[in-house]
Amino acid sequence: MNEWPNGWSGDQNGNRYGRGSSGDPEGARAMPQVRRDAGPGYQRPEPPMPPSMSPRRGATVPPQQSQGYDDAYDDGCNTGQVYGGGRGGGGGYDDGYGGGRPRPQWGRRIKRTLIALVAVLLVASVATYFWADGKLRRQVDLSKVIERPEEGDGTNYLIVGSDSREGMSAEDKKKLHTGSAEGKRTDSMMILHDGSNGPTLISLPRDSDVEIPSFVGSDSGKKYPGTGRHTKLNAAYAEDGPELLVRTVEYNTKLHIDHYVEIGFAGFANIVDAIGGVEMDIPKAFKDKDSGADFKAGKQTLDGQQALAFVRTRHAFATQDLERTKNQQKFLATLASQTATPGTVLNPFKLYPTMSAGLDTLIVDKDMSLWDLGQMFFAMKDVTGGDGKSMNMPVSGSNGGNLVWDKAKLQQLVGQLKNDEKVTVSGD
C-alpha cells in the first residue's frame, strides 16, 4: 500500500522550499503532479511508487543537483514548485548562488601577473649572469706573483689599457690610427681603490721610473733575481706580461693589488659605439696626427674612434703623458656614469651589445668574479661623485726622461689607502 498521498512527492515536514517555515511550497500544495510529456488534458495521477523505492524502507533517493536557487531533482515531473531567480534571472550580478555573470577577480589576476613577471625577470637575470660570467677571459694568474705586500682594507684594482690589436682588420687599424705593431704594450695604467671613504683613481704614467724586482717568469716558471735595474713602467709589461707588471707595481708602491683588468683598443672603441657614444665637455681644442685627434672646444658626443683618439693623445700637450692620464681618468669616469643608467641597464637592446663588446676583449685575473667586475665599474662611476677622487701619482721630477715619483707623498698615499682612510694627498 502506498504510504504517500496521491499528488505528493516527498515528506511534508522534511523539505522547506517556499516562503516562511511551512513544510512545502505553496505551489506544491496547490498543483498535482503532472508529467511533462503528457498531452493536453492529461489528468491521470502518477502510479504509486513501488514499496522497494519508498524512502521509509531504506531506498536511496537520487541526489539532487542545485541549479539557481534550490532546484529539486528533475525526475521528468513538474511538481508545481515556484523557483526564484535562477540562471538568466534579471539581476545580472553574482549573488553567491551561481546566478548571473561572476565578477572579475582583478586582485588575483594582478597577483598572478606580477608573480609571472618576477619569475621571468629572475630567470633572465640568472641567465644573463651566467652568460656574462662565461665570457670573462680569466687569463692572468696572480698566484705567480711573488713576495707580495700584505693586504689592506678595501679593494685595489690595477686597470690597464693595452695597445692590443687583437681581432682588428687592416681597415680597423687604419681607421683607429693604431698602427700595425706586433704584440702589445700598456697604453695606460691606473690603480682604482674602492673603500668605505669613496673610490680613489690614481693614474700611473707609463714613463714612470721604476725598479724591476726579482720575479718568476709567467711562462717559464723560472725565477729571475733582481739586479736593481731601472726602466719605464710600461717596459715591465712588455718584458713578461701582466704578472710582472703587477709584481713591479706592488714592489715600487708597497700596495697589494687584488684584481687585474685589461682591455684593448678594439674593445674600448666597441663599448663606446654600443652605448651610442659618450658626451664630453672638452675645455680646449687640440689636434694630434698620431692619434687622429681633431677636437673643438665645447660639449660633443664622441664615437668609438674619436674616444680612442681622445684617450691616446699625448703629443698635443706640453706635459704629454701627465695630461693624457687626466683625460683618460675623465673619460673613463664619464663612460661609466653614462653606461650605468636605466636607459642602458633596463634596455636589452643596449645592455647586451654593451656587455658583449666589453667582455669579448676584457682580460682579468683568475680570481675575478662578475660581481667584482661590477663593483669596479660602479666605483669608477662614483669617482666623479662627491666622495670620489682622481689624481696622478705624485711626481717630484724626471730622470733622463723618466718621471720620478715623490717618495714622501707616495708613502703617505699608500698608508691612507691601506687603512682605507680618506685620501688627502694630491698629485699633478
Side-chain angles (χ1 to χ4, degrees), residues 144-166:
K144 296 180 179 179
V145 180
I146 62 173
E147 302 173 14
R148 308 191 66 184
E150 292 183 1
E151 296 183 16
D153 296 329
T155 304
N156 299 314
Y157 302 86
L158 180 60
I159 303 173
V160 174
S162 75
D163 63 359
S164 171
R165 296 154 179 85
E166 180 182 2

Side-chain angles (χ1 to χ4, degrees), residues 28-51:
R29 294 193 298 269
M31 296 180 61
Q33 289 184 341
V34 180
R35 291 186 59 86
R36 293 180 181 176
D37 56 352
Y42 184 86
Q43 298 295 333
R44 189 180 65 186
E46 285 290 298
M49 181 179 290

Side-chain angles (χ1 to χ4, degrees), residues 268-303:
F268 182 83
N270 289 340
I271 291 176
V272 175
D273 286 334
I275 66 171
V278 176
E279 185 181 49
M280 294 290 297
D281 188 2
I282 300 177
K284 186 178 180 180
F286 64 89
K287 191 173 183 178
D288 180 19
K289 66 177 183 178
D290 291 332
S291 66
D294 186 4
F295 297 105
K296 297 179 180 180
K299 288 185 177 181
Q300 50 206 287
T301 299
L302 309 186
D303 60 18

Side-chain angles (χ1 to χ4, degrees), residues 103-181:
R103 291 178 184 145
Q105 297 179 338
W106 292 110
R108 182 176 296 178
R109 292 182 183 180
I110 293 174
K111 182 178 179 181
R112 289 177 177 175
T113 301
L114 290 176
I115 292 175
L117 180 60
V118 170
V120 170
L121 291 176
L122 181 61
V123 171
S125 299
V126 172
T128 299
Y129 181 90
F130 283 104
W131 167 78
D133 188 72
K135 291 179 74 69
L136 278 179
R137 299 168 63 184
R138 298 180 174 91
Q139 299 178 1
V140 179
D141 189 357
L142 295 183
S143 67
K144 296 180 179 179
V145 180
I146 62 173
E147 302 173 14
R148 308 191 66 184
E150 292 183 1
E151 296 183 16
D153 296 329
T155 304
N156 299 314
Y157 302 86
L158 180 60
I159 303 173
V160 174
S162 75
D163 63 359
S164 171
R165 296 154 179 85
E166 180 182 2
M168 297 175 63
S169 64
E171 183 179 353
D172 293 333
K173 295 175 184 177
K174 182 178 180 180
K175 176 183 176 181
L176 298 176
H177 296 268
T178 64
S180 300

Side-chain angles (χ1 to χ4, degrees), residues 106-408:
W106 292 110
R108 182 176 296 178
R109 292 182 183 180
I110 293 174
K111 182 178 179 181
R112 289 177 177 175
T113 301
L114 290 176
I115 292 175
L117 180 60
V118 170
V120 170
L121 291 176
L122 181 61
V123 171
S125 299
V126 172
T128 299
Y129 181 90
F130 283 104
W131 167 78
D133 188 72
K135 291 179 74 69
L136 278 179
R137 299 168 63 184
R138 298 180 174 91
Q139 299 178 1
V140 179
D141 189 357
L142 295 183
S143 67
K144 296 180 179 179
V145 180
I146 62 173
E147 302 173 14
R148 308 191 66 184
E150 292 183 1
E151 296 183 16
D153 296 329
T155 304
N156 299 314
Y157 302 86
L158 180 60
I159 303 173
V160 174
S162 75
D163 63 359
S164 171
R165 296 154 179 85
E166 180 182 2
M168 297 175 63
S169 64
E171 183 179 353
D172 293 333
K173 295 175 184 177
K174 182 178 180 180
K175 176 183 176 181
L176 298 176
H177 296 268
T178 64
S180 300
E182 297 296 329
K184 60 181 181 178
R185 287 151 293 278
T186 53
D187 208 56
S188 61
M189 290 161 284
M190 303 178 187
I191 294 175
L192 174 64
H193 174 80
D194 184 20
S196 58
N197 280 290
T200 302
L201 183 63
I202 307 163
S203 288
L204 309 177
R206 69 177 190 173
D207 293 339
S208 297
D209 185 83
V210 294
E211 179 181 342
I212 302 297
S214 60
F215 68 96
V216 174
S218 57
D219 292 328
S220 65
K222 178 181 177 182
K223 185 172 181 178
Y224 297 88
T227 61
R229 174 169 56 100
H230 280 247
T231 186
K232 293 182 179 181
L233 180 59
N234 65 340
Y237 182 95
E239 186 173 334
D240 198 53
E243 288 85 1
L244 179 55
L245 178 61
V246 171
R247 167 70 173 137
T248 303
V249 169
E250 289 188 340
Y251 179 82
N252 286 269
T253 64
K254 305 300 185 290
L255 186 68
H256 183 91
I257 300 299
D258 298 290
H259 292 295
Y260 178 91
V261 181
E262 176 187 328
I263 190 168
F265 283 161
F268 182 83
N270 289 340
I271 291 176
V272 175
D273 286 334
I275 66 171
V278 176
E279 185 181 49
M280 294 290 297
D281 188 2
I282 300 177
K284 186 178 180 180
F286 64 89
K287 191 173 183 178
D288 180 19
K289 66 177 183 178
D290 291 332
S291 66
D294 186 4
F295 297 105
K296 297 179 180 180
K299 288 185 177 181
Q300 50 206 287
T301 299
L302 309 186
D303 60 18
Q305 177 184 349
Q306 294 171 319
L308 189 58
F310 180 81
V311 299
R312 294 185 63 223
T313 298
R314 61 183 301 197
H315 299 297
F317 311 120
T319 56
Q320 293 202 13
D321 206 37
L322 290 177
E323 186 66 26
R324 180 173 70 165
T325 56
K326 293 180 181 179
N327 284 340
Q328 290 171 348
Q329 291 175 349
K330 182 178 179 180
F331 184 86
L332 289 178
T334 304
L335 172 64
S337 179
Q338 294 184 16
T339 303
T341 62
T344 299
V345 176
L346 300 180
N347 184 353
F349 297 102
K350 271 193 173 184
L351 176 63
Y352 283 93
T354 301
M355 293 181 65
S356 182
L359 295 174
D360 281 342
T361 57
L362 203 65
I363 296 175
V364 299
D365 64 90
K366 292 186 176 181
D367 294 327
M368 173 76 96
S369 68
L370 196 62
W371 173 263
D372 295 324
L373 187 63
Q375 292 291 97
M376 184 203 79
F377 180 79
F378 283 101
M380 182 74 74
K381 175 187 174 183
D382 293 338
V383 164
T384 55
D387 295 330
K389 181 180 179 67
S390 61
M391 57 181 289
N392 279 327
M393 179 64 75
V395 174
S396 60
S398 63
N399 179 14
N402 296 349
L403 297 174
V404 179
W405 294 347
D406 188 317
K407 293 183 179 179

